Short mmCIF file of all heavy atoms in Angstrom, two decimals:
data_model
loop_
_atom_site.label_atom_id
_atom_site.label_comp_id
_atom_site.label_asym_id
_atom_site.label_seq_id
_atom_site.Cartn_x
_atom_site.Cartn_y
_atom_site.Cartn_z
N LYS A 1483 25.52 -68.37 7.96
CA LYS A 1483 24.61 -69.18 8.61
C LYS A 1483 23.29 -68.50 8.67
O LYS A 1483 23.25 -67.31 8.53
CB LYS A 1483 24.97 -69.70 10.01
CG LYS A 1483 25.03 -68.72 11.07
CD LYS A 1483 25.40 -69.32 12.38
CE LYS A 1483 25.39 -68.32 13.53
NZ LYS A 1483 25.58 -68.91 14.90
N SER A 1502 36.83 -61.66 18.31
CA SER A 1502 36.73 -62.63 19.44
C SER A 1502 35.37 -62.37 20.06
O SER A 1502 34.77 -63.37 20.59
CB SER A 1502 37.77 -62.27 20.50
OG SER A 1502 38.90 -62.20 19.80
N ILE A 1503 34.76 -61.25 20.13
CA ILE A 1503 33.58 -61.00 20.84
C ILE A 1503 32.34 -61.24 19.97
O ILE A 1503 31.35 -61.90 20.44
CB ILE A 1503 33.47 -59.50 21.31
CG1 ILE A 1503 34.45 -59.30 22.44
CG2 ILE A 1503 32.10 -59.02 21.64
CD1 ILE A 1503 34.05 -60.06 23.73
N LYS A 1504 32.29 -60.98 18.73
CA LYS A 1504 31.25 -61.12 17.87
C LYS A 1504 31.70 -61.86 16.64
O LYS A 1504 32.00 -61.31 15.58
CB LYS A 1504 30.58 -59.82 17.56
CG LYS A 1504 29.25 -59.80 16.99
CD LYS A 1504 28.75 -58.42 16.75
CE LYS A 1504 27.43 -58.39 16.12
NZ LYS A 1504 26.97 -57.03 15.74
N ASN A 1530 39.30 -52.01 11.67
CA ASN A 1530 40.70 -51.97 11.36
C ASN A 1530 40.82 -51.00 10.22
O ASN A 1530 41.19 -51.40 9.14
CB ASN A 1530 41.37 -53.25 11.10
CG ASN A 1530 41.13 -54.21 12.26
OD1 ASN A 1530 41.99 -54.17 13.24
ND2 ASN A 1530 40.12 -55.06 12.14
N ASP A 1564 50.70 -55.58 14.85
CA ASP A 1564 52.06 -55.95 15.32
C ASP A 1564 53.08 -55.43 14.38
O ASP A 1564 54.12 -54.82 14.74
CB ASP A 1564 52.05 -57.43 15.54
CG ASP A 1564 53.37 -57.88 15.95
OD1 ASP A 1564 53.92 -57.33 16.81
OD2 ASP A 1564 53.90 -58.96 15.48
N THR A 1573 62.59 -49.09 20.25
CA THR A 1573 63.25 -49.73 21.36
C THR A 1573 64.18 -50.82 21.04
O THR A 1573 63.81 -51.64 20.21
CB THR A 1573 62.18 -50.27 22.34
OG1 THR A 1573 61.23 -49.36 22.46
CG2 THR A 1573 62.76 -50.58 23.70
N TYR A 1579 66.86 -57.30 26.64
CA TYR A 1579 66.95 -58.70 26.95
C TYR A 1579 68.27 -59.07 27.56
O TYR A 1579 68.39 -59.77 28.55
CB TYR A 1579 66.56 -59.60 25.88
CG TYR A 1579 65.16 -59.44 25.30
CD1 TYR A 1579 64.91 -59.64 23.88
CD2 TYR A 1579 64.14 -58.90 25.98
CE1 TYR A 1579 63.63 -59.37 23.32
CE2 TYR A 1579 62.94 -58.63 25.59
CZ TYR A 1579 62.66 -58.90 24.11
OH TYR A 1579 61.47 -58.64 23.66
N THR A 1597 76.38 -66.17 50.20
CA THR A 1597 76.28 -67.48 50.64
C THR A 1597 77.63 -68.02 51.13
O THR A 1597 77.77 -68.67 52.23
CB THR A 1597 75.69 -68.47 49.57
OG1 THR A 1597 74.46 -67.90 49.15
CG2 THR A 1597 75.40 -69.79 50.08
N SER B 382 57.89 -62.21 25.94
CA SER B 382 58.03 -60.94 25.26
C SER B 382 58.25 -61.22 23.71
O SER B 382 57.66 -60.55 22.80
CB SER B 382 59.10 -60.08 25.76
OG SER B 382 59.01 -58.86 25.30
N LYS B 393 44.59 -60.32 18.39
CA LYS B 393 43.69 -59.45 19.21
C LYS B 393 42.68 -60.29 20.05
O LYS B 393 41.48 -60.20 20.14
CB LYS B 393 42.74 -58.61 18.29
CG LYS B 393 43.57 -57.59 17.59
CD LYS B 393 42.73 -56.82 16.59
CE LYS B 393 43.62 -55.81 15.75
NZ LYS B 393 42.97 -55.03 14.79
N GLN B 399 41.85 -68.54 23.32
CA GLN B 399 41.22 -68.35 21.98
C GLN B 399 42.31 -68.62 20.88
O GLN B 399 41.94 -69.12 19.91
CB GLN B 399 40.80 -66.82 21.85
CG GLN B 399 39.56 -66.54 22.50
CD GLN B 399 39.29 -64.99 22.25
OE1 GLN B 399 39.86 -64.21 23.02
NE2 GLN B 399 38.58 -64.62 21.32
N ILE B 514 71.90 -68.44 50.53
CA ILE B 514 70.99 -68.15 49.48
C ILE B 514 71.02 -69.23 48.37
O ILE B 514 69.89 -69.62 47.94
CB ILE B 514 71.12 -66.71 48.94
CG1 ILE B 514 71.11 -65.67 50.06
CG2 ILE B 514 70.07 -66.36 47.88
CD1 ILE B 514 71.60 -64.27 49.72
N ILE B 515 72.15 -69.40 47.93
CA ILE B 515 72.32 -70.30 46.69
C ILE B 515 72.66 -71.77 47.19
O ILE B 515 73.55 -72.01 47.95
CB ILE B 515 73.38 -69.85 45.83
CG1 ILE B 515 73.22 -68.39 45.37
CG2 ILE B 515 73.67 -70.75 44.66
CD1 ILE B 515 72.16 -68.17 44.37
N LEU B 558 52.00 -52.85 21.90
CA LEU B 558 52.80 -54.04 22.09
C LEU B 558 54.07 -53.58 23.04
O LEU B 558 54.48 -54.28 23.92
CB LEU B 558 53.11 -54.57 20.83
CG LEU B 558 54.17 -55.87 20.92
CD1 LEU B 558 53.41 -57.00 21.47
CD2 LEU B 558 54.61 -56.11 19.44
N LYS B 559 54.49 -52.41 22.77
CA LYS B 559 55.65 -51.94 23.44
C LYS B 559 55.29 -51.74 24.98
O LYS B 559 56.13 -52.13 25.84
CB LYS B 559 56.13 -50.57 22.88
CG LYS B 559 57.36 -50.06 23.62
CD LYS B 559 57.80 -48.65 23.02
CE LYS B 559 58.95 -48.01 23.77
NZ LYS B 559 59.32 -46.74 23.28
N LYS B 721 30.04 -67.38 25.49
CA LYS B 721 30.01 -66.95 24.05
C LYS B 721 30.23 -67.95 22.94
O LYS B 721 29.76 -67.89 21.89
CB LYS B 721 30.79 -65.70 23.81
CG LYS B 721 30.13 -64.41 24.38
CD LYS B 721 30.81 -63.18 24.00
CE LYS B 721 30.52 -62.77 22.66
NZ LYS B 721 29.15 -62.28 22.45
N GLU B 728 24.13 -61.08 20.22
CA GLU B 728 24.46 -59.88 19.50
C GLU B 728 24.28 -58.71 20.43
O GLU B 728 24.60 -57.61 20.12
CB GLU B 728 23.53 -59.72 18.33
CG GLU B 728 23.36 -60.92 17.44
CD GLU B 728 24.70 -61.16 16.60
OE1 GLU B 728 25.47 -60.13 16.44
OE2 GLU B 728 24.93 -62.26 16.25
#
Side-chain angles (χ1 to χ4, degrees):
Chain A
K1483 71 174 185 178
S1502 314
I1503 285 294
K1504 194 177 175 187
N1530 298 279
D1564 179 43
T1573 315
Y1579 300 151
T1597 305
Chain B
S382 190
K393 295 178 184 172
Q399 279 178 282
I514 306 170
I515 304 284
L558 179 65
K559 181 183 174 179
K721 282 189 76 69
E728 306 292 334

